[in-house]
Amino acid sequence: MAMIPVIVKHQGKKHQIELDPTSTGETFKYQLYSLTGVEPDRQKILVKGGQLKDETDLSTLGAKPGQIYMMMGTPAEGGSGGLLARPKEKMRFIEDMTEAEAAKTEGAIPAGLQNLGNTCYLNSTLQTLRSVPELQDELLKYSDSSASAGPSAFSQFGLGALGASSDLTASLRDLYKQMSETQEGPAPLRFLNALRVAFPQFAQMSKSGNGYAQQDAEEAWSQIVSQLRQKLKLKDDNRNKENLPAISKTEVSFVDKYLAGWFESTLTCDESAATDAGEVAVQTEDTFLKLDCHIDKDINHLRDGIAAGLEEKIEKTSSALNREAVYTRKSKISRLPKYLTVHFVRFFWKREAQKKAKIMRKVTFQHELDVVEFCTEDLRKRLIPVRDKVREVRKDEEEVTRARKRQKLAHKQEEDRKADITAGRFKEPIEEAKSKSAHPETKADGDTEVHEVAYKTDVEYDAERAASIKQAKKELFALIDSELAQDEGSNKSGIYELRGVVTHQGASADSGHYTSYVKKQGRKDPSTGKRMEEDGKWWWFNDDKVSEVDAEKIESLSGGGESHSALILLYRAIDLPTQEEVQD
């Protein structure tokens, strides 16, 4: 169809523009955007029958040459008003950047780590721990507490000439900094040397005599975290406040704040004779750095494995019976850390083979983990209102999204029907026409009144959604327990989202191959500095090779054979509204 020259009046000016009858209202708005600088979603164009919508077929307007349309709207604050302006910052291309600058750009592939000979267990552990942004921030503030160890400290491992620091935390700080400034896979040699000095078990040679032995990634994880717990301390800004958890009253380690939880345990003798003799159950409070997921023939899911791990049998001497007896220790969680580590207990010592064998059983796990059922009654009362509100808000958002999709579909169908009728391509069914003519709605003056369904625009929907989200955040924030709110490094809802996975491929801990998966973060909003919505994809770290995979890949890591199966899961507490977000 031929273009139709029309006139659009806006703020006292007349704009000559050619209307394409084969296009839509959205295209027309972008034409006006180039002339007026008013963004399409801020335009109100008055046409016969109301306001021009994005989905409207322009052929249905019946536009004639020289026809005048009215447009209202102003550019967004900071808009260019349709005028070209010199960019505030000079555009830079990747080719012009330094290696460090390129590594820090949004969307850049993160650095892998070179395998130095059976060190995949270490590489996968370091990549997963690096997904904790608070850890990277605190490491940058860390100062070496001791000088480098002398040659004699390294000589027994053949490392005397490497000048490695004996401070494992400082070595981790330097390695992570190096990784942030490159997209190549650096060799973690200095950190590996420091690890082998601090924990000689990682300097064991392979039985074949060719290089170092393969190690258990879980053992490396535990030793690194234990060292960080001793060395990486935080200054406490809440020490003068009252009614705060004990964790906030003195200087605290980074691990205790963000990675450690608390157990309340009860130890009871299984024999009633001990109770009859006056022996009472022993109550204890302990700190944990990970939850164990026990695996046996009855365990099929992570939840069942965790439950099994919180109840264990031990043998000890009974003071009442004066002999060995079996006791049951039952534990409940009294504090949930922001970052929760879960360990699949897949390896066990096989005496006849003299090695750590692997339990191949498939155990499924979820991307979102609810651990409220494993908590003490007191903590449950604090968490449940927030958890239930989160679920309610999500359900409401899903319903709003579905309703919006239904309206868009109905609107499109209505516009298509009108376009077909106007073009003579469609006639209403006889029965429907008879029904309409049989039940006309007439006004007092005898004219027939036509009712048109009012469809909301995207702008109206977005405004309503923003207001609804703001109100939901206020209600959710009000439900957060005041004492938990003061404990910055804790989980306040009982719900976790999966952020990292360490996997093992093979039949034993002393062989095979380790890799890790880390969930991609959303891009940073340049105006606010906040992370935007994530795309659901993951980074797969296979030593120095890094690739992007879909979320479906994670679901294939449940085990069931010698292929890659999850060994360590790193969960993070879901985000909750902050004081700044709920302020008017």
Side-chain angles (χ1 to χ4, degrees):
M1 299 177 68
M3 305 289 279
I4 304 172
V6 297
I7 299 172
V8 176
K9 295 181 67 175
H10 175 245
Q11 294 185 343
K13 295 182 180 180
K14 292 183 179 181
H15 300 279
Q16 302 279 348
I17 188 170
E18 290 192 336
L19 182 148
D20 182 1
T22 63
S23 63
T24 63
E26 184 179 29
T27 302
F28 190 56
K29 288 181 179 180
Y30 273 102
Q31 287 179 271
L32 289 170
Y33 175 43
S34 65
L35 293 173
T36 65
V38 180
E39 295 82 352
D41 59 355
R42 297 176 62 87
Q43 296 177 16
K44 289 186 178 180
I45 303 170
L46 303 181
V47 297
K48 186 177 181 181
Q51 188 175 316
L52 181 66
K53 297 180 174 61
D54 290 347
E55 303 85 359
T56 301
D57 186 340
L58 296 185
S59 64
T60 63
L61 298 182
K64 298 178 181 178
Q67 188 165 342
I68 298 176
Y69 294 100
M70 294 290 297
M71 187 187 100
M72 295 181 290
T74 56
E77 186 176 350
S80 63
L83 300 176
L84 294 177
R86 183 183 297 276
K88 294 182 179 179
E89 295 183 7
K90 183 180 179 181
M91 183 177 294
R92 300 188 66 197
F93 297 95
I94 293 290
E95 295 79 3
D96 301 325
M97 295 181 181
T98 65
E99 184 180 6
E101 291 172 334
K104 295 179 185 298
T105 59
E106 284 293 335
I109 297 176
L113 288 169
Q114 292 180 33
N115 191 320
L116 301 177
N118 282 335
T119 58
C120 55
Y121 72 92
L122 179 61
N123 292 345
S124 58
T125 297
L126 293 174
Q127 292 287 11
T128 307
L129 281 172
R130 188 170 178 250
S131 69
V132 179
E134 293 90 343
L135 175 59
Q136 294 195 59
D137 293 341
E138 291 302 325
L139 281 172
L140 290 175
K141 305 174 187 176
Y142 178 76
S143 299
D144 299 57
S145 57
S146 61
S148 297
S152 60
F154 296 93
S155 58
Q156 58 181 316
F157 307 112
L159 306 173
L162 295 172
S165 170
S166 62
D167 191 333
L168 191 73
T169 303
S171 297
L172 184 62
R173 174 201 62 201
D174 296 341
L175 176 60
Y176 280 171
K177 185 175 185 299
Q178 181 184 5
M179 293 171 68
S180 71
E181 296 174 347
T182 181
Q183 289 181 277
E184 302 298 325
L189 189 58
R190 291 177 64 86
F191 180 83
L192 179 61
N193 294 340
L195 179 70
R196 287 172 174 166
V197 169
F199 305 103
Q201 69 189 82
F202 298 108
Q204 293 175 351
M205 306 301 292
S206 67
K207 293 179 180 179
S208 65
N210 298 320
Y212 291 96
Q214 177 69 285
Q215 299 288 340
D216 186 343
E218 186 276 328
E219 292 181 2
W221 178 289
S222 296
Q223 298 290 28
I224 293 170
V225 170
S226 69
Q227 192 77 354
L228 289 173
R229 191 181 185 199
Q230 296 176 33
K231 293 285 189 177
L232 193 58
K233 303 291 184 179
L234 306 178
K235 292 182 179 179
D236 180 25
D237 296 328
N238 296 322
R239 59 184 178 275
N240 295 324
K241 296 183 180 179
E242 298 180 355
N243 302 319
L244 295 183
I247 194 171
S248 300
K249 291 184 180 294
T250 58
E251 184 182 54
V252 65
S253 79
F254 173 87
V255 170
D256 282 337
K257 181 173 182 178
Y258 289 105
L259 294 167
W262 298 340
F263 278 145
E264 287 185 6
S265 303
T266 303
L267 185 65
T268 309
C269 184
D270 288 3
E271 298 184 39
S272 58
T275 305
D276 295 340
E279 185 172 296
V280 297
V282 178
Q283 308 284 339
T284 59
E285 293 185 359
D286 306 289
T287 298
F288 69 88
L289 301 179
K290 67 180 187 303
L291 292 181
D292 284 333
C293 174
H294 285 202
I295 303 175
D296 59 32
K297 62 182 179 62
D298 299 319
I299 302 298
N300 297 306
H301 188 68
L302 176 63
R303 181 260 165 214
D304 303 324
I306 292 177
L310 293 176
E311 183 173 327
E312 60 179 333
K313 299 287 186 179
I314 62 173
E315 285 190 17
K316 64 183 286 293
T317 302
S318 169
S319 58
L321 302 177
N322 291 318
R323 59 177 172 81
E324 291 288 306
V326 177
Y327 285 75
T328 299
R329 184 198 300 275
K330 294 183 178 179
S331 301
K332 290 286 186 180
I333 301 171
S334 57
R335 179 189 188 261
L336 288 170
K338 181 174 181 178
Y339 291 91
L340 178 68
T341 304
V342 180
H343 168 223
F344 287 95
V345 187
R346 288 195 174 276
F347 299 131
F348 68 100
W349 182 252
K350 198 169 184 178
R351 186 176 301 174
E352 57 271 25
Q354 288 294 295
K355 67 177 183 179
K356 281 185 177 180
K358 182 178 180 181
I359 301 174
M360 305 291 188
R361 187 175 182 82
K362 180 178 181 179
V363 181
T364 60
F365 57 92
Q366 59 269 60
H367 286 261
E368 186 169 277
L369 180 65
D370 180 352
V371 296
V372 171
E373 65 173 303
F374 305 123
C375 298
T376 62
E377 189 62 31
D378 177 65
L379 184 56
R380 282 167 56 87
K381 290 178 180 178
R382 300 168 187 263
L383 298 174
I384 288 177
V386 180
R387 181 199 65 181
D388 291 350
K389 184 63 178 179
V390 168
R391 291 175 173 173
E392 178 187 327
V393 170
R394 288 177 176 176
K395 185 177 180 181
D396 290 345
E397 287 184 348
E398 289 174 0
E399 181 55 39
V400 168
T401 301
R402 284 195 293 267
R404 184 174 185 177
K405 288 180 179 178
R406 288 195 297 268
Q407 185 211 248
K408 281 193 169 185
L409 178 60
H411 188 194
K412 184 179 185 304
Q413 291 173 340
E414 177 65 15
E415 292 294 331
D416 290 345
R417 188 186 68 83
K418 288 181 179 180
D420 288 341
I421 292 174
T422 302
R425 295 190 296 268
F426 171 79
K427 291 185 179 180
E428 290 184 282
I430 296 175
E431 292 300 323
E432 185 177 343
K434 285 182 178 179
S435 175
K436 288 184 178 180
S437 62
H439 302 282
E441 294 189 31
T442 56
K443 296 189 289 186
D445 58 4
D447 291 337
T448 300
E449 185 175 9
V450 179
H451 290 283
E452 287 196 12
V453 179
Y455 294 104
K456 294 179 183 178
T457 64
D458 287 345
V459 175
E460 292 171 330
Y461 251 119
D462 290 341
E464 286 185 6
R465 184 172 183 272
S468 176
I469 291 176
K470 183 72 174 288
Q471 181 59 33
K473 284 184 175 181
K474 287 183 177 180
E475 295 173 3
L476 186 55
F477 182 78
L479 291 172
I480 298 175
D481 180 81
S482 58
E483 190 169 315
L484 290 180
Q486 297 292 334
D487 186 0
E488 181 187 355
S490 69
N491 184 326
K492 304 163 184 60
S493 68
I495 303 176
Y496 286 95
E497 59 175 343
L498 186 63
R499 303 303 302 183
V501 184
V502 176
T503 68
H504 177 265
Q505 179 185 34
S508 73
D510 302 328
S511 62
H513 184 56
Y514 291 93
T515 67
S516 62
Y517 295 80
V518 172
K519 193 169 187 181
K520 289 180 62 180
Q521 290 184 307
R523 290 177 175 270
K524 273 189 178 180
D525 186 329
S527 58
T528 64
K530 295 182 178 180
R531 294 282 178 184
M532 295 185 283
E533 188 174 353
E534 297 175 341
D535 61 10
K537 295 185 181 296
W538 291 66
W539 292 119
W540 180 27
F541 295 95
N542 185 5
D543 289 329
D544 57 342
K545 295 183 287 293
V546 183
S547 55
E548 186 183 85
V549 297
D550 295 326
E552 289 74 23
K553 177 62 178 178
I554 307 303
E555 296 168 6
S556 71
L557 304 176
S558 300
E562 292 190 18
S563 61
H564 281 288
S565 54
L567 180 68
I568 299 173
L569 304 177
L570 181 63
Y571 283 96
R572 185 185 70 189
I574 62 169
D575 292 330
L576 294 176
T578 61
Q579 180 72 52
E580 293 74 17
E581 289 178 318
V582 301
Q583 289 177 341
D584 292 322

